[in-house]
Amino acid sequence: MSTQGFRIVITGKGGVGKTTITSLLSHLFAGRGYSVLAVDEDPQMNLPYAIGVSPEDAESIVPLSKNLDYIEEKTGARPDSGYGLMFSLNPDVSDVVERFGMKGPNGVNILVMGTVVKAATGCLCPENTLLDAVMRHINLREGEIILMDTQAGVEHFGRAIAKGFNQAILVADPTFNAVQVVKHAAELARELEIRDIHLVINRVRSPGDITKVTRMLAGHEELFSGKYYIPYDEMMSLFDPDVRPILDEPSEFVDGVRELMMSLEMHGLLRA
Ligand SMILES: Nc1ncnc2c1ncn2[C@@H]1O[C@H](COP(=O)(O)OP(=O)(O)OP(=O)(O)O)[C@@H](O)[C@H]1O
Ligand SMILES: [Mg+2]
């Protein structure tokens, strides 16, 4: 696996702001000259809209999972017989994007995985196994960044998909349940040997929120490389789902995400 480029996975409880933050980071990194591949691992597939793809264009996206026949033809791998050949494929980002992805606004590349949802945890569906293999073995060059937005919860951390990511962003809002989820996710991320685990507390409305979260995190701080408190911004609901307009407004929310971006870049460069 290449040590170049950054692989960043975003996770957390439902509705805490994962997709919004992934989209803003995609635009901010693209604006800094990086080649960004934003990957939607959520079966809901709402990342393209947040990045600013029009509904008409979004409709034409074919998820990677629906391209199984094509991948099978190229790799010789069959869904019922493992993916040995896939492991030696090492597809380039540009190759994967060209075949399965789309170019979104600001040159942000978008890949929709089309993850298969199963009721039980630890799904070993062949489609998901193949998706995991693509993500783990994709060749990343200097200046290329993968940002993967995931479905709510930590189930996918039990899958191989998060393996091979060097940084994780765990997002919570200032609620007990969301903080519980990030604590659990941090432990899983550690087990997966994800080097840098950044905690984002989004939608902070008051200093009281910070005090509350600090209390809930007591004894767990060492799990995180950094902690970011990002304020609630009512402008977000005006623009929803497209995050781009807020980038042109004075916003403490965007400032907070920008600070996160700088830290991700620093960690990525230091460890490359
Ligand atoms: N800091 C913020 N201030 C105000 N609204 C926000 C903020 N962050 C996100 N939102 C809003 O919260 C809603 C949920 O955000 P988002 O879809 O990014 O969450 P999610 O974690 O991806 O949800 P899901 O688990 O359903 O995928 C959106 O309407 C978004 O605009
Ligand atoms: Mg989402």
Side-chain angles (χ1 to χ4, degrees):
M1 189 183 301
S2 166
T3 54
Q4 302 290 340
F6 318 158
R7 292 159 196 265
I8 303 168
V9 58
I10 293 91
T11 190
K13 189 181 166 291
V16 292
K18 299 178 293 296
T19 302
T20 306
I21 290 171
T22 306
S23 306
L24 282 171
L25 285 172
S26 299
H27 285 298
L28 291 170
F29 271 124
R32 239 175 124 66
Y34 285 94
S35 170
V36 176
L37 175 59
V39 179
D40 194 353
E41 190 267 348
D42 187 345
Q44 301 286 325
M45 301 184 204
N46 45 22
L47 184 65
Y49 299 101
I51 288 173
V53 175
S54 69
E56 302 79 59
D57 288 347
E59 273 193 8
S60 69
I61 296 175
V62 182
L64 187 56
S65 62
K66 295 279 190 289
N67 283 298
L68 280 181
D69 287 348
Y70 185 81
I71 295 172
E72 225 176 295
E73 176 198 314
K74 292 288 167 199
T75 63
R78 291 191 305 278
D80 57 353
S81 66
Y83 295 98
L85 288 175
M86 193 69 209
F87 290 105
S88 62
L89 192 68
N90 285 341
D92 284 335
V93 171
S94 55
D95 197 42
V96 172
V97 169
E98 211 168 280
R99 293 181 189 182
F100 311 115
M102 72 169 298
K103 211 165 253 320
N106 280 338
V108 172
N109 297 299
I110 301 166
L111 182 67
V112 171
M113 302 289 268
T115 308
V116 177
V117 193
K118 284 276 157 82
T121 52
C123 170
L124 291 174
C125 339
E127 293 88 341
N128 287 352
T129 311
L130 180 57
L131 300 179
D132 295 349
V134 172
M135 287 319 297
R136 287 173 64 183
H137 295 276
I138 202 165
N139 230 342
L140 216 54
R141 298 204 179 85
E142 202 179 336
E144 291 180 333
I145 297 185
I146 291 181
L147 285 164
M148 186 169 73
D149 181 27
T150 60
Q151 55 189 303
V154 292
E155 182 272 332
H156 41 276
F157 263 14
R159 278 172 47 201
I161 194 141
K163 228 180 154 79
F165 278 76
N166 346 91
Q167 305 197 57
I169 303 172
L170 310 187
V171 188
D173 56 14
T175 62
F176 177 79
N177 285 345
V179 172
Q180 291 300 103
V181 170
V182 289
K183 283 197 242 175
H184 184 201
E187 276 155 16
L188 292 172
R190 269 269 171 95
E191 283 167 27
L192 290 170
E193 297 175 357
I194 295 178
R195 301 175 314 199
D196 298 309
I197 304 172
H198 310 269
L199 174 63
V200 171
I201 306 296
N202 187 26
R203 282 208 289 256
V204 172
R205 289 170 188 264
S206 68
D209 281 342
I210 298 179
T211 313
K212 178 182 166 189
V213 171
T214 306
R215 206 178 318 120
M216 289 190 285
L217 285 172
H220 292 82
E221 280 96 349
E222 79 290 350
L223 286 167
F224 304 102
S225 324
K227 229 184 321 173
Y228 303 84
Y229 290 99
I230 299 191
Y232 180 86
D233 188 331
E234 58 190 16
M235 261 191 301
M236 283 312 296
S237 55
L238 289 178
F239 300 134
D240 176 83
D242 187 349
V243 300
R244 286 173 303 162
I246 203 166
L247 287 163
D248 300 325
E249 305 285 337
S251 162
E252 285 180 23
F253 172 54
V254 175
D255 292 345
V257 178
R258 192 172 282 115
E259 191 192 329
L260 171 65
M261 178 199 65
M262 299 304 282
S263 174
L264 293 163
E265 181 183 49
M266 190 191 70
H267 279 88
L269 292 174
L270 278 177
R271 305 268 200 154

